[in-house]
Structure formats: C-alpha cells, structure tokens
Amino acid sequence: MSLSINPRANTLTVPGIRQFSNQLVNFPNAINLTIGQPDFPTPVAVKEAGIRAIEQNLTGYSHNAGLLELREAVNTFFSNKYGFSYDPQNEIVITNGASEAIDSIFRTILEEGDEVILPAPIYSGYVPVIELCGAKVVYLDTTETGFQPSAKNLERLITEKTKAILFNNPSNPTGVIIQKDTMDELVQMLKEKEVFILTDEIYSENTFSGEHHSFAAYKELQHKLFYIHGVSKSHSMTGWRVGFLMGPATIMKQVMLVHAYNSICASLPAQHAAIEALTNSKDTPSEMNVEYVKRRDYVYNRLVGMGFSVEKPNGAFYIFPSIKAFGMNSFDFATKLLQEGGVAVVPGSTFTPYGEGYIRISYAYSMEVLKEGLNRVEKFIQTIQK
Ligand SMILES: Cc1ncc(COP(=O)(O)O)c(C=O)c1O
C-alpha cells in the first residue's frame, strides 16, 4: 500500500501562461497581454440558443459522441469551407473543448515508449498529455525555417518509434500559417510513412489573408489523420467547452469510448449553442477578423518600429517577437517587463525550449489596451538598452 501518486502526474507544473497571468494580482495596474481568448462576447444568437436549451430542460446527457444534429452541423461547416467530409454517424466526436479532443486521441493511440513529433515552438497543452501516456516528445526545430515545418527536417526525425506527428495550424504561439507548398511537401513525404497525423486547426477561422488550407483535405492522409477543432476561438466560446475530433471510423470507435469513460459527453446546453454557432452564426468569425487584422497590423508595426525582429503573423491572434538582442532569457525578460514596465506577456520558453529567445503577445485585446501596452514596452526597452 502506498499514498504516493503517479510520478508522471507529479512532474506536471502550472502552465507558463498561467504563471504569468496569476502574478498579475500583485500588479493591479499592469497591462495583461497574456491570455489566448477572444475579448468579444459570445455572439448574442449563440448565447440565446444556450439559454433556450436550459429553459427547455435540455440539460441531461446526450449521446456519448454528442448530438447528431451538432455532428451534422460540424460536417456541413467544414465540408462547405474546406472541402473535406467526415461521417457524422461514426467519424465525429464532440468533446469538452479541443483540450479533451487532444487528450482522447493521444490516450487512444499512444503506448509506453512511443514518440510524438511536435514542430516547435508550439502550444504548451500537448506535451503533458503525451508524457502522461508514457510517450516521449521529439521536437522539430522550426526557428531556422520561418516557423514553417520543413518536410526534409521532419523526415530525419521519423524513426521506428514515431507514432504520431502533430501540426498546429495556424500556430499558437507564432501566428504563422503553414504555406501551401510546404504543406504539399509534407503530405508527399508523410503519405509514405506509417505514422498518425494529428492536426489542431482550432485557429482556422482566424486566418487574415489568403485561404486556410487543411491537412484533412488531402485524401491520401485520411485513413491516419485526426482533425482537432472547436468553437472556443472561432466564436469566443472558451468557457462553453465544446470541441470536435474527427478521424477514420475504425479508430474513432475506440476514441469515442476513451472520451465516454472520461466525461460521458460534452455539456448539452453548450452543444445546442454550438449548433447555432456553426449554422446561423457561421460568419461571426469573419466579423471578428476585421478587428483582429487592425490590431495585428498595429502591433506588428509598433514592434518593427521599436526594432524587434518579428515574423508578421497571418493567423490566430498572437505575435512572437524575438528578444535575443536584449541578452536575457525570455523568462527574465518577461519578469522584468512585468515588474518594471507594467506589461504581462508570456515567455517564449513556455512553448518548448525552441521558444526561448522570444515572447508571445496576444492581441485579443482592445486597441486602447494594446496602445497602452506597447507604449509601455517601448519605454521599457529604452531603459534596458541604456
Ligand atoms: C492550439 C490550441 N489548441 C487547443 C487549445 C484548447 O482549446 P479549448 O479551449 O477548446 O480546449 C488551445 C487554447 O489556447 C490552443 O491554443
């Protein structure tokens, strides 16, 4: 007998993003540019659909895979927009946010000793789940290739142990979108490999110029590809907790059980709200994008004007400037910026060791907040450059 806990759970730490935003209580006048959620309210019609569901006592469990009507709406939305289709009956599971989709697919496919390749820097939500499964993360460095995952470099990392490769496109934290020709090269190479492809495209609706291309649209990958999405970012519904996972029926059968034993189903009123989001309110994201583009341009121009080296982001609502010129690591830079400059940003090292030397700024904030935040950043860097 023992009261010790799973050592893998013991290694978990508070996410870096939260470490910084949690510190903010000690700096009540600081400008917070850390959080990755839209600052818009959930669209009125979506809220009303959720309220209606509650009033009509639609508050019980749904089918484990989620309401069929929502699965059908998911398929219609993605097939109309991106030209790929999944069978609502047996290839789509509605999850508690994209987070639970990530958890369910990894727990279904991973075994002890497997390797998962992540292009890095990347969102910090994948590594803990992979490691809790007893698998190992292998990073593909994208810092020398404009944050694009190079097919050649990726191929070198694939071994007998590789079980899966995960892409996040558009990217949190860089805001970069995988270029179509790069994606074509990746698919050409990956179609020959016996590895699962996971694609987290939760920011697809936050694409600011050009089209979003999805890995799911490549037929040659469909038998081994899992598509992760949700309404959190597209419809400003982070607290409603509705995500989607799509993939081949043979494996989705087991994914559905992993999901069912975890949480039975996603919240029913929230599923009703998500139906509204993907049908009558399907154009809300492009309305939000008008605002994001203005903010993106403003923040990018200000950072370039201050002398930061930075890729212009084309999606999501993050920007990832280099701070290498300041001779400090990203944690120290962010700490100093908060304590002395009054602005909270996320140290790049939160997004794997390959994010070291950068900071992530979220521009899911009003123009007024962004202006004040960037004025403070400008003042701060002048003091540390002296
Ligand atoms: C890339 C990425 N995937 C998944 C998630 C989690 O989404 P959800 O709130 O739907 O669980 C986030 C949240 O920030 C994210 O940035």
Side-chain angles (χ1 to χ4, degrees):
M1 272 188 291
S2 153
L3 293 179
S4 64
I5 68 165
N6 179 346
R8 288 184 195 144
N10 243 344
T11 63
L12 297 177
T13 52
V14 177
I17 300 176
R18 292 279 162 189
Q19 278 177 31
F20 261 84
S21 50
N22 290 351
Q23 278 194 57
L24 278 168
V25 284
N26 305 321
F27 299 91
N29 297 321
I31 296 285
N32 180 8
L33 302 180
T34 64
I35 302 288
Q37 67 179 344
D39 60 319
F40 303 100
T42 301
V44 173
V46 175
K47 286 196 277 199
E48 283 173 356
I51 292 166
R52 250 191 333 272
I54 293 169
E55 283 174 349
Q56 291 170 2
N57 294 318
L58 299 172
T59 52
Y61 295 129
S62 70
H63 186 292
N64 293 133
L67 290 171
L68 182 58
E69 192 187 346
L70 176 54
R71 286 180 270 146
E72 281 166 350
V74 167
N75 181 49
T76 306
F77 181 88
F78 289 101
S79 62
N80 286 347
K81 273 205 96 164
Y82 303 119
F84 60 85
S85 183
Y86 284 93
D87 184 348
Q89 293 284 354
N90 54 22
E91 294 187 320
I92 302 178
V93 171
I94 308 300
T95 55
N96 289 276
S99 304
E100 200 243 318
I102 293 162
D103 183 74
S104 291
I105 184 59
F106 276 136
R107 285 199 298 127
T108 305
I109 62 172
L110 291 183
E111 294 171 78
E112 183 98 30
D114 282 344
E115 291 182 357
V116 178
I117 303 178
L118 300 180
I122 199 164
Y123 171 57
S124 52
Y126 310 117
V127 175
V129 179
I130 295 166
E131 292 182 345
L132 274 173
C133 292
K136 190 179 152 227
V137 174
V138 174
Y139 293 117
L140 165 65
D141 181 2
T142 65
T143 56
E144 302 295 320
T145 49
F147 300 128
Q148 297 285 326
S150 135
K152 243 194 238 140
N153 294 350
L154 175 57
E155 189 166 17
R156 279 191 218 116
L157 298 177
I158 298 175
T159 69
E160 280 300 302
K161 289 188 175 165
T162 309
K163 179 57 78 72
I165 299 159
L166 182 145
F167 297 100
N168 172 217
N169 180 45
S171 155
N172 175 7
T174 66
V176 164
I177 285 176
I178 301 177
Q179 288 156 359
K180 178 69 170 54
D181 53 348
T182 303
M183 193 178 271
D184 288 344
E185 278 170 32
L186 286 163
V187 172
Q188 272 307 104
M189 185 273 287
L190 290 169
K191 73 178 189 194
E192 308 297 339
K193 310 282 180 194
E194 287 283 296
V195 292
F196 289 114
I197 314 295
L198 276 51
T199 182
D200 177 348
E201 300 183 17
I202 194 162
Y203 293 101
S204 66
E205 302 318 290
N206 304 106
T207 298
F208 305 137
S209 52
E211 277 171 55
H212 170 76
H213 296 283
S214 174
F215 280 103
Y218 293 84
K219 291 241 170 323
E220 54 273 54
L221 296 185
Q222 265 205 346
H223 64 289
K224 56 183 178 184
L225 179 136
F226 293 89
Y227 184 79
I228 296 158
H229 213 290
V231 287
S232 296
K233 315 288 175 173
S234 62
H235 287 78
S236 197
M237 292 177 70
T238 48
W240 293 76
R241 311 308 303 136
V242 180
F244 326 124
L245 182 64
M246 298 174 237
T250 44
I251 302 171
M252 286 306 287
K253 206 166 66 184
Q254 293 312 119
V255 174
M256 217 275 280
L257 294 172
V258 171
H259 151 79
Y261 287 119
N262 174 334
S263 53
I264 301 183
C265 65
S267 148
L268 189 59
Q271 290 190 56
H272 282 283
I275 293 171
E276 167 62 33
L278 295 180
T279 55
N280 301 323
S281 300
K282 66 179 185 334
D283 295 326
T284 311
S286 43
E287 290 159 26
M288 294 184 195
N289 284 348
V290 173
E291 196 52 38
Y292 287 137
V293 169
K294 283 190 215 152
R295 298 171 185 183
R296 187 270 316 257
D297 290 345
Y298 175 77
V299 174
Y300 175 74
N301 289 333
R302 284 292 306 268
L303 290 172
V304 169
M306 289 177 214
F308 280 98
S309 157
V310 59
E311 292 279 338
K312 187 171 187 175
N314 217 357
F317 30 66
Y318 309 109
I319 190 162
F320 205 57
S322 167
I323 48 116
K324 289 175 189 163
F326 298 98
M328 252 183 269
N329 70 37
S330 61
F331 193 89
D332 291 347
F333 183 93
T335 305
K336 224 171 152 58
L337 176 59
L338 176 60
Q339 292 174 348
E340 296 170 22
V343 182
V345 298
V346 184
S349 55
T350 300
F351 305 99
T352 80
Y354 293 91
E356 185 49 86
Y358 300 85
I359 53 169
R360 190 193 77 173
I361 295 175
S362 164
Y363 50 90
Y365 291 95
S366 72
M367 207 57 144
E368 202 187 340
V369 170
L370 292 173
K371 278 183 184 159
E372 176 60 22
L374 287 156
N375 288 344
R376 292 185 186 189
V377 170
E378 188 160 29
K379 231 161 131 192
F380 170 73
I381 62 168
Q382 282 161 1
T383 62
I384 59 172
Q385 273 164 347
K386 270 181 202 157

